[in-house]
């Protein structure tokens, strides 16, 4: 079974600073996808960034980037120049395409950006 | 483009009652997911449809939960009878398909269920 672990239940960062959220996962699969989703308070979950396991290059989306370490099964999210609107729950998710895109989510990290 | 729609947004029932949730995915999305998100936890997949067929329902408590996706578009999730531990947010998500590049999930606003 796949497991996704987020070891930081809560984090805070000063506005404009950089923060890194951790995620580790356990799988025997070689082909899979990893995601970071953001869930703002009382709002819908939205995709932040996606990484394909067979790609060596770390994914980047504007201020968001990942550090994907396949051998270590680690997938951390770095948020640069943090903004107040980044305050949200962040979920790391694992998806294995061989079984019809079944998703496994971590327990989430609550990030607060302090003005 | 309209997003994933869910109703109702909130529901309060007493234990042993029945409840149903409705989801309308993004037009053209073949894959539909129902998740249960208990407070303080990540979403847990309950059931996944590909068009109107079930791909995975291994974590659906089938003694009390049921779901259908007639005609491969809208879907309903039912709980009968509800238990206290069913209190959670029920999220619906959809994606274009299951192929690489189509697998981004778009989530609805969720239905918050409270069982008293």
């Amino acid at each position: 079974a796949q497991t996704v672990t987020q070891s930081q239940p809560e984090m805070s960062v000063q506005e404009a600073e950089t923060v890194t959220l951790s995620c580790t996962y356990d799988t025997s699969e070689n082909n899979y996808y990893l995601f970071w989703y953001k869930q703002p308070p009382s709002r819908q979950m939205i995709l932040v960034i996606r990484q394909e396991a067979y790609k060596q290059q770390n994914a980047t989306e504007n201020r968001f980037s990942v550090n994907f370490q396949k051998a270590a099964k680690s997938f951390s999210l770095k948020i640069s120049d943090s903004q107040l609107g980044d305050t949200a729950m962040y979920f790391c998710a694992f998806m294995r395409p061989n079984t019809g895109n079944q998703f496994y989510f971590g327990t989430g990290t609550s990030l607060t950006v302090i003005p | 483009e309209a997003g994933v729609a869910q109703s109702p947004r909130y529901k309060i029932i007493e234990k042993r009652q029945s409840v149903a949730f409705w989801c309308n995915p993004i037009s053209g999305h073949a894959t539909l997911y129902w998740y249960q998100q208990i407070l303080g936890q990540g979403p847990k997949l309950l059931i996944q449809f590909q068009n109107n067929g079930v791909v995975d329902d291994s974590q659906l408590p089938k003694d009390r939960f049921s779901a259908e996706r007639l005609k491969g578009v809208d879907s309903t999730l039912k709980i009968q009878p509800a238990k206290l531990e069913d209190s959670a947010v029920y999220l619906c998500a959809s994606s274009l398909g299951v192929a690489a590049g189509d697998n981004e999930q778009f989530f609805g606003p969720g239905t918050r269920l409270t069982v008293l």
Side-chain angles (χ1 to χ4, degrees), chain B residues 62-83:
Chain B
K62 298 181 185 62
D63 57 333
R64 298 184 301 107
F65 286 65
S66 64
E68 60 182 8
R69 192 184 183 197
L70 299 177
K71 301 180 182 178
V73 181
D74 293 5
S75 178
T76 56
L77 175 69
K78 297 179 181 177
I79 307 175
Q80 180 180 9
K83 293 184 176 181

Side-chain angles (χ1 to χ4, degrees), chain B residues 5 12 15-16 31 44 49 57 62 70 72 75-76 83 85 89-90 93 95-96 99-100 102 109-111:
Chain B
I12 300 174
K15 60 182 179 182
R16 291 187 290 273
T31 310
K44 183 184 82 171
F49 292 95
D57 63 357
K62 298 181 185 62
L70 299 177
S75 178
T76 56
K83 293 184 176 181
E85 58 261 36
V89 175
Y90 290 85
S95 64
L96 271 172
D102 292 343
T111 296

